[in-house]
Each structure stands twice: as structure tokens, then as C-alpha cells.
Amino acid sequence: MILYDCNHRGKFRSKSFDAIMQEAQHLVDQGAVELNLIAEDTNQWGQDRRDGKNLAHLLRELKNIEGLRWIRILYAYPSYFHDELIQEIAENPKVCKYIDMPLQHISNLTLLTMNRPPKDHTVTLLETLRDRIPDLALRTTFISGFPGEREEDHRELVDFVKTFKFQRMGAFAYSEEDGTPAAEYEEQIEYDVRQARRDELISLQQGIGEEWARGMVGKEIDVLIDGVTEDGEIFGRTQWDAPDIDNIVFMQEPEEGLGLKPLEIGQMRRCKITGRSIFDLEAVPIE
């Protein structure tokens, strides 16, 4: 966690630069090869600092930690991207070409009700990120059935998901939370409608995810070995998959006679993608 609170719920406060660097070094010393940067709005880090340090600066400094292989940005907010940060993500070899940015919706009326940036700003940003960051995977989440969401708002969201094709996407049916303004709105959507809209988005994304997995077969990529399934299969992740929420890579042991080390949890191995299992990949190490 690199931020405390956020400006949408209360005044945010950046965790100190020194504290982050010390924690990062400690984690790597303990064997970590991947660091996940997490906050309510992660890319807002540093905006309250007087020394001019921002997330781009933090990423540059984290790059210098020996033994660290991947840095992942989770929970970014559309309003807090700037040229320096985009360039750092694109050029820093340790920053995963993966951005998690929960958008919640794309219809302007729903976004206005949610107090979020308008559609034009978001679409322009997404296109800029894809244009400037090679091999970028974008992850987002959407909320279905937010109070006041009309059928045409939902259809606009469906069309957007079809055309933009996020590499990773989740969708959730809106649920009232006590103490939030939205829970008091009069135009609450029927529970069954919320679920049906969510299910439509999930079904659509399944096809997009399968298409992405098919396109990965035959490629050579780095895979971080994560663990072993209950069935005894070794699995890992690509740079385009956050732990516990995204897809995995099922690993085969190296062929005998090639002089390659056996697989071990925590290794980063160069692999060839040999197949897929719906969204998940299958791979064999080549180095």
C-alpha cells in the first residue's frame, strides 16, 4: 500500500518514499521478485509531496533494486496519468506492461452519477496508453445496474467492451452499501436486471479472453513460477496477469537431455507457449 485513503473518500496521504523503498528492499531480500503497487488511486502517489517526487520517480528508483524483476501497477485512476508516468511505464524494463484501471462504466450519464471522469477523457486516455506502451494489457472492472442505469446506458457499455477488447476485465452487479450516497438514490435497479446485465458483460469478455489466449500460442515469454495446483500441476503467471485475479500458465517440466533446470516456485523462466485451456496458457521452459 503506497497511499492512505483517496480524494474521493477523504484527503489522501502518500506513504513516504523512504518507507516504500525500505519495504521493497526488505521484500526482495526475502525472495520476492515481483512488487505490486496498491492504493485507492495508485497513480496519485506523490501529488501531496513538496519534493516533486511522483509515481514515475518511484518506478525509476524501484528499478534499481537488484533481484527485483517485475513492478505491477494496480488500481490506477483515469485522472492521474501524465506524460512522464506513461513514458516511464513504457520504457522501464521492470514495470509490467499491465495497468489495472477500474473504470466502472462508460456511459456519460452513469459516470456523472458515479462522480467519475467523462467518457471522452477515458477513451482518449485508453487509446494513448495503448499507442505509447508496447504490448500493454489493460485490466478494468465495470459495475452493472448502478442506480439510474438505463437500458441504453448498458447497451453503450456492451458495445464499448466489444470494440475496445480489454485483455482483462471483471464485471460486478451493483449492491447497496450502507452509508454511501448511491444507496439512497431512488432509481434502484431490480436485482434480476443487475445480474442479467453483469452476466452479459462476463459472457462477452469470455470470448475476448479466449481470443487473446489463442493469439499467445507459439510466442516466447517470461513466466513467474507461482505454485502447484491441488492436482499437482505447476503453474505460473505472465507479466499480463496479476496474482490471484487473472489467468495462469500451466507449466511442463523441461525435456530431459536439454540441460535445463527443473521448475521451482519463485523462478522466472523463459518459456514457449504451447497451447491454451480456455483463457489459461500452457507452456514449456526453453531456458
Side-chain angles (χ1 to χ4, degrees):
M1 178 71 72
I2 65 171
L3 272 176
Y4 305 104
D5 218 323
C6 69
N7 275 345
H8 312 289
R9 297 184 181 180
K11 184 172 176 57
F12 81 97
R13 179 166 55 91
S14 296
K15 190 172 183 176
S16 77
F17 172 80
D18 288 342
I20 294 173
M21 293 301 298
Q22 289 171 9
E23 183 179 0
Q25 185 65 65
H26 173 73
L27 290 170
V28 174
D29 289 344
Q30 297 299 308
V33 295
E34 175 184 7
L35 296 179
N36 293 281
L37 304 184
I38 301 174
E40 289 282 351
D41 303 318
T42 301
N43 49 334
Q44 196 177 17
W45 183 87
Q47 291 185 10
D48 59 338
R49 298 178 60 88
R50 296 181 179 180
D51 58 8
K53 291 180 179 177
N54 55 29
L55 185 59
H57 180 94
L58 179 62
L59 293 174
R60 281 194 294 273
E61 293 301 316
L62 288 171
K63 178 182 68 174
N64 296 326
I65 297 179
E66 187 175 350
L68 176 61
R69 300 290 299 273
W70 284 350
I71 307 166
R72 186 179 306 278
I73 299 173
L74 299 173
Y75 304 129
Y77 193 79
S79 296
Y80 304 131
F81 280 93
H82 48 81
D83 286 345
E84 183 185 11
L85 177 57
I86 295 172
Q87 182 175 349
E88 185 63 29
I89 296 171
E91 297 180 356
N92 189 324
K94 292 189 178 181
V95 175
C96 294
K97 305 315 175 220
Y98 171 105
I99 296 175
D100 170 45
M101 182 166 45
L103 297 177
Q104 314 298 26
H105 217 281
I106 204 62
S107 163
N108 272 325
L109 183 61
T110 307
L111 290 169
L112 179 64
T113 307
M114 292 176 165
N115 193 29
R116 295 184 65 85
K119 177 179 180 178
D120 286 350
H121 169 87
T122 298
V123 172
T124 298
L125 171 63
L126 293 172
E127 292 174 346
T128 298
L129 293 173
R130 275 192 170 170
D131 181 59
R132 292 184 55 184
I133 304 174
D135 299 321
L136 176 67
L138 283 163
R139 170 176 243 290
T140 194
T141 51
F142 292 113
I143 297 176
S144 294
F146 193 81
E149 182 191 55
R150 304 165 302 174
E151 177 61 26
E152 52 260 48
D153 299 321
H154 172 65
R155 299 259 55 91
E156 183 177 357
L157 177 56
V158 168
D159 290 342
F160 178 67
V161 170
K162 282 181 181 178
T163 56
F164 194 81
K165 295 186 177 181
F166 290 91
Q167 286 85 355
R168 307 285 183 264
M169 192 204 84
F172 303 92
Y174 169 77
S175 61
E176 297 90 343
E177 293 185 19
D178 291 340
T180 61
E184 305 299 324
Y185 293 165
E186 293 183 0
E187 297 181 78
Q188 299 291 329
I189 307 300
E190 292 183 7
Y191 177 81
D192 289 347
V193 174
R194 302 179 201 178
Q195 298 295 324
R197 291 176 178 176
R198 187 276 314 274
D199 291 347
E200 183 177 6
L201 290 174
I202 292 295
S203 177
L204 175 59
Q205 183 61 27
Q206 287 177 343
I208 295 171
E210 289 184 47
E211 180 183 347
W212 183 88
R214 280 195 297 269
M216 292 298 296
V217 175
K219 293 186 177 182
E220 296 180 4
I221 60 173
D222 291 331
V223 176
L224 174 60
I225 309 303
D226 255 357
V228 181
T229 69
E230 293 181 355
D231 296 329
E233 292 185 275
I234 299 174
F235 69 91
R237 285 180 294 112
T238 74
Q239 67 164 321
W240 305 292
D241 297 293
D244 300 326
I245 58 174
D246 288 322
N247 305 334
I248 61 174
V249 181
F250 292 104
M251 300 292 300
Q252 299 176 24
E253 286 285 0
E255 294 182 23
E256 294 185 8
L258 297 180
L260 299 179
K261 297 178 181 178
L263 298 173
E264 294 181 7
I265 295 173
Q267 289 178 337
M268 187 80 72
R269 299 293 294 267
R270 192 69 176 174
C271 300
K272 182 173 183 178
I273 304 302
T274 57
R276 67 179 182 93
S277 178
I278 308 179
F279 322 112
D280 297 321
L281 303 176
E282 299 167 355
V284 60
I286 57 176
E287 294 180 5

